[in-house]
Amino acid sequence: MRVAGLLLLLALGRQARGQEWITRWADDADCIVDEDSDAEGGGLRQLDVLCVDDDVVVADDACDADEKPDDTWECLATTVVVDPVEGNDLNDGTTEQPLRTLRACIER
């Protein structure tokens, strides 16, 4: 998320010179695991790539900025298992050793 925020700030921080591409995480941009990814647990996350002029979305073909960025972004997907009956917050959150509470998952 930091990378997307940085991209957003860079896009907004540029001097006005026509339209610009702005990139942000899509509203439903969950990391989709890619079994063929080189990185273990790697995948893709969908981005919204919009051509904007003064924060107003314009047609892509009217955008005079550089080439349009990719509409996906590499990410790492990590699954943490929580089981309120069989889990223990001292476990590592795997299927074999689930956590007990959501709080323990968030604090990791």
Side-chain angles (χ1 to χ4, degrees), residues 80-91 93 98-108:
V80 178
V81 180
V82 177
D83 183 337
V85 176
E86 301 292 326
N88 182 324
D89 286 345
L90 298 177
N91 287 344
L99 299 174
R100 183 177 184 91
T101 65
L102 187 57
R103 176 186 294 269
C105 177
I106 293 170
E107 290 176 350
R108 289 182 179 256

Side-chain angles (χ1 to χ4, degrees):
M1 177 138 174
R2 287 183 183 165
V3 173
L6 181 59
L7 288 173
L8 177 64
L9 290 174
L10 288 174
L12 294 176
R14 295 180 184 163
Q15 293 179 348
R17 57 175 196 260
Q19 292 83 16
E20 303 269 352
W21 293 113
I22 187 169
T23 306
R24 64 182 183 209
W25 294 122
D27 289 339
D28 59 349
D30 290 334
C31 189
I32 306 301
V33 176
D34 178 8
E35 300 297 334
D36 298 327
S37 175
D38 292 337
E40 182 178 334
L44 297 175
R45 188 173 183 187
Q46 191 69 30
L47 297 175
D48 282 334
V49 180
L50 306 171
C51 182
V52 297
D53 183 8
D54 293 329
D55 292 330
V56 177
V57 177
V58 297
D60 285 355
D61 59 0
C63 195
D64 61 5
D66 293 334
E67 203 174 301
K68 184 176 181 177
D70 292 337
D71 61 358
T72 57
W73 198 278
E74 286 186 80
C75 57
L76 292 178
T78 303
T79 302
V80 178
V81 180
V82 177
D83 183 337
V85 176
E86 301 292 326
N88 182 324
D89 286 345
L90 298 177
N91 287 344
D92 59 9
T94 61
T95 304
E96 296 79 21
Q97 296 185 349
L99 299 174
R100 183 177 184 91
T101 65
L102 187 57
R103 176 186 294 269
C105 177
I106 293 170
E107 290 176 350
R108 289 182 179 256

